């Protein structure tokens, strides 16, 4: 805290105004490594708080887009925060290796930690950043790990950095794509893992936040992130198991989840049954935690089941179509939603894309649609369509893979009439009105809900 330099008051054009009248803003100099979903939100929100932020990325296209005033990713609200930061002189973008620049007081690490084929976290990107910081020869600064790394990783980094007078704090991110800025502003908690001197400095960066700060050891902070994501994934797989039981007893999982979620001990969040979780976090973090447990001699049985249930969920629509249409060869099927969830352009581990490939393997031709025009399916039998109507015309079945409002609120009466028999509408997110699809002549099939269908 004491190392920050005082700066004049800043009033930004959009969103929040910092600081409140009469306060002196303590301004830190910060470098953020990685202009991905997490790094961009971290950099822009810290710049909005009045800090001086340099955002570094090794991807030239990302930096080019940023310097031209555009966000390289789709995240609601990010473009205006970027513009505000640049206008206020708090934000700049630098390509590649940072030898020539002063890395400042704090370095946030927000590069990717994908999963390896064996299920372990691939730490090459984070190691490269830590090595770069060491190579810069700076001292007295603090490295803050936002990227998700397995417990034990940070202690190793801290031991490498300490002899150079560099502090290390684990500060995991809990940002959901699509609502990441709101999640930053209204965080349920800010977890800081590290020794108290380093954690005190980092806490100063969050001075304008009213979120609870939780101080822990580095390993505990690292595990908080994995435990949180594994628990949320467990809730999803649990309700998906209940959906399977609903199918057996003719109950409706949407109503079950609503009533179960009203119990405050359980809560209603993350109880939406469907074709399961995707994205850049849950799949890789559940696998990495399971791997870490096995590697250390513990069989995390529950987590393995969570992962298995999730992979099964995305097979359900293809099975349902086979049950109703028989051999899928020659059938045209639409898949609506290529992003792993609404309001993002992220297609990592997206159920929609996996399902498209399964349908192609089963002999169908597939018409894909996403409001952001995302197409990642490389097959001559796959066509990417510009509109929902184009995708659905002449199809015998459609699968809703992502509950984008544009898809949910479309005119399903018109869409169903453009299909050919048996007009199966598989609602992979339990988001449509089954009765009206039936009324329009469609066969509505959902996950854990009674079908509205005569086929
Ligand atoms: C983040 C985290 O870092 C990950 O660990 C967490 O679990 C999920 O969120 P995300 O922001 O989604 O990842 O990553 P991504 O969108 O892949 O962006 C990473 C960026 O880092 C890319 O723009 C990439 O070009 C950049 N990068 C990567 C560097 O600048 N330097 C490198 O050495 C490697
Ligand atoms: C997640 C975590 O929520 C966030 O805290 C973490 O830091 C990054 O990973 P994100 O992956 O962006 O965020 O989205 P999230 O809203 O958590 O959804 C993840 C997946 O679960 C999506 O595919 C979504 O469709 C699915 N999901 C979510 C369900 O299937 N059912 C639900 O009830 C909720």
């Amino acid at each position: 805290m004491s190392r920050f330099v005082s700066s004049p008051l800043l009033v930004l054009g959009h969103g929040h105004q910092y600081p409140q009248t009469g306060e002196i803003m303590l301004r830190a100099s910060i470098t953020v490594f990685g202009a991905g979903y997490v790094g961009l939100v971290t950099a822009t929100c810290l710049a909005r708080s009045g800090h001086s932020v340099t955002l570094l990325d090794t991807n030239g296209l990302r930096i080019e887009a940023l310097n031209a005033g555009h966000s390289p990713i789709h995240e609601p609200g990010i473009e205006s925060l970027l513009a505000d930061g640049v206008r206020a002189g708090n934000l700049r973008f630098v390509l590649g290796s940072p030898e020539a620049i002063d890395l400042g007081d704090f370095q946030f690490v927000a590069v990717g930690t994908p999963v390896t084929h064996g299920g372990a976290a691939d730490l090459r990107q984070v190691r490269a950043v830590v090595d770069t910081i060491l190579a810069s020869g700076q001292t007295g600064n603090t490295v803050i790990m936002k990227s998700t790394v397995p417990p034990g990783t940070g202690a190793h980094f801290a031991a490498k950095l300490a002899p150079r007078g560099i502090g290390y704090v684990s500060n995991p991110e809990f940002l959901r794509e699509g609502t990441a800025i709101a999640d930053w502003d209204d965080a349920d908690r800010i977890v800081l893992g590290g020794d108290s001197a380093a954690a005190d400095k980092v806490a100063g960066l969050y001075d304008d936040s009213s979120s609870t700060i939780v101080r822990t050891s580095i390993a505990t902070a690292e595990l908080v992130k994995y435990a949180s994501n594994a628990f949320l994934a467990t809730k999803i797989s649990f309700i998906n198991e209940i959906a399977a039981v609903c199918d057996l007893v003719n109950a409706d999982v949407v109503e079950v989840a609503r009533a179960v979620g009203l119990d405050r001990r359980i809560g209603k969040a993350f109880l939406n049954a469907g074709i399961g979780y995707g994205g850049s976090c849950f799949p890789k973090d559940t696998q990495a935690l399971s791997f870490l447990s096995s590697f250390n001699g513990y069989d995390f049985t529950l987590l393995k089941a969570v992962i298995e249930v999730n992979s099964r969920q995305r097979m359900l629509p293809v099975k349902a179509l086979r049950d109703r249409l028989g051999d899928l060869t020659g059938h045209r099927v639409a898949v609506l939603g290529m992003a792993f969830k609404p309001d993002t352009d992220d297609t990592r581990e997206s159920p929609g894309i996996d399902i498209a490939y399964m349908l192609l393997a089963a002999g169908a031709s597939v018409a894909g649609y996403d409001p952001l025009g995302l197409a990642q399916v490389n097959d001559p039998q796959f066509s990417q369509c510009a509109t929902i109507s184009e995708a659905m015309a002449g199809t015998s079945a459609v699968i809703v893979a992502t509950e984008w409002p544009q898809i949910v609120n479309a005119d399903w009466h018109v869409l169903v009439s453009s299909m050919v028999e048996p007009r199966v509408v598989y609602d992979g997110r339990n988001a449509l009105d089954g009765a009206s699809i039936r009324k329009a002549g469609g066969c509505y099939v959902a996950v854990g809900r009674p079908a509205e269908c005569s086929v």
Side-chain angles (χ1 to χ4, degrees):
M1 268 288 289
S2 54
R3 295 185 329 106
F4 302 179
V5 183
S6 296
S7 80
L9 298 183
L10 274 169
V11 179
L12 303 177
H14 297 258
H16 299 222
Q17 296 190 338
Y18 293 100
Q20 287 170 6
T21 316
E23 278 180 28
I24 297 296
M25 170 65 73
L26 294 170
R27 185 178 160 100
S29 163
I30 297 169
T31 301
V32 176
F33 286 82
Y37 293 86
V38 173
L40 268 170
V41 174
T42 302
T44 51
C45 289
L46 287 167
R48 186 189 58 188
S49 293
H51 300 296
S52 169
V53 182
T54 300
L55 181 55
L56 274 176
D57 202 290
T58 48
N59 180 330
L61 291 175
R62 289 202 166 187
I63 295 298
E64 219 173 274
L66 287 163
N67 279 325
H70 304 297
S71 170
I73 57 158
H74 176 87
E75 181 63 41
I78 198 84
E79 301 254 355
S80 71
L81 278 190
L82 282 166
D84 286 343
V86 171
R87 203 171 26 246
N90 288 352
L91 194 52
R92 65 183 180 132
F93 315 107
V94 173
L95 171 64
S97 128
E99 283 97 23
I101 65 163
D102 176 358
L103 294 179
D105 307 310
F106 299 95
Q107 294 80 44
F108 278 87
V109 185
V111 293
T113 49
V115 76
T116 64
H117 286 302
D122 177 349
L123 298 175
R124 281 175 293 178
Q125 297 181 37
V126 284
R127 276 200 209 102
V129 172
V130 172
D131 288 344
T132 303
I133 295 168
L134 278 167
S136 75
Q138 285 192 225
T139 181
N141 43 322
T142 307
V143 172
I144 304 162
M145 186 59 70
K146 276 274 168 214
S147 299
T148 306
V149 295
T153 311
H156 174 71
F157 289 146
K160 268 175 102 172
L161 295 163
R164 303 283 288 274
I166 305 174
Y168 180 91
V169 172
S170 165
N171 175 213
E173 55 84 17
F174 302 101
L175 309 172
R176 287 164 302 173
E177 289 175 27
T179 54
I181 295 166
D183 288 347
W184 177 284
D185 290 338
D186 188 25
D188 290 326
R189 75 296 206 195
I190 293 167
V191 178
L192 300 179
D195 69 43
S196 56
D200 277 349
K201 287 182 189 168
V202 180
L205 296 176
Y206 293 107
D207 258 1
D208 54 5
S209 165
S210 53
S211 304
T212 304
I213 291 193
V214 183
R215 301 285 197 97
T216 68
S217 70
I218 296 174
T220 298
E222 289 166 336
L223 192 55
V224 168
K225 171 63 191 259
Y226 280 102
S228 302
N229 275 357
F231 186 75
L232 293 168
T234 304
K235 274 187 104 175
I236 297 171
S237 281
F238 180 83
I239 201 66
N240 283 333
E241 289 280 66
I242 295 295
V245 178
C246 284
D247 283 340
L248 300 175
V249 300
N250 209 29
D252 186 330
V253 74
V254 174
E255 288 168 21
V256 173
R258 183 171 173 273
V260 167
L262 284 169
D263 185 325
R264 279 169 295 177
R265 294 168 302 175
I266 298 170
K268 64 180 182 189
F270 283 73
L271 286 181
N272 297 325
I275 52 175
Y277 59 79
S280 64
C281 284
F282 287 178
K284 85 170 165 61
D285 293 349
T286 46
Q287 279 187 60
L289 182 56
S290 173
F291 177 89
L292 176 88
S293 308
S294 305
F295 192 71
N296 287 291
Y298 182 70
D299 185 26
F300 200 151
T301 319
L302 176 61
L303 189 55
K304 281 182 172 167
V306 167
I307 295 167
E308 196 179 322
V309 168
N310 196 58
S311 7
R312 188 192 61 200
Q313 289 309 111
R314 40 181 90 179
M315 296 177 198
L316 294 180
V318 184
K319 182 178 180 304
L321 262 53
R322 277 186 161 147
D323 289 348
R324 288 180 163 79
L325 276 66
D327 184 359
L328 297 184
T329 310
H331 281 281
R332 178 176 152 91
V333 179
V335 176
L336 305 183
M338 296 286 146
F340 80 95
K341 64 182 274 192
D343 254 332
T344 182
D345 56 354
D346 198 343
T347 54
R348 287 177 281 187
E349 295 285 338
S350 174
I353 289 182
D354 244 14
I355 289 164
Y357 277 116
M358 283 188 249
L359 291 167
L360 290 163
S365 66
V366 177
Y369 167 79
D370 189 277
L372 294 178
L374 310 165
Q376 307 257 331
V377 179
N378 195 2
D379 189 288
Q381 293 303 308
F382 178 84
S383 50
Q384 183 69 26
C385 301
T387 61
I388 305 178
S389 342
E390 191 194 321
M392 280 185 60
T395 55
S396 36
V398 56
I399 295 165
V400 173
T402 315
E403 69 279 30
W404 281 97
Q406 294 90 325
I407 294 170
V408 175
N409 302 326
D411 187 339
W412 280 89
H413 196 91
V414 173
L415 291 172
V416 169
S417 45
S418 76
M419 298 173 74
V420 299
E421 291 295 337
R423 303 174 204 263
V424 177
V425 177
Y426 189 94
D427 182 0
R429 295 297 178 185
N430 288 349
L432 304 178
D433 177 13
S436 60
I437 283 167
R438 171 108 200 238
K439 219 164 130 200
C443 161
Y444 178 79
V445 187
V447 184
R449 315 190 74 181
E452 297 271 355
C453 184
S454 54
V455 190

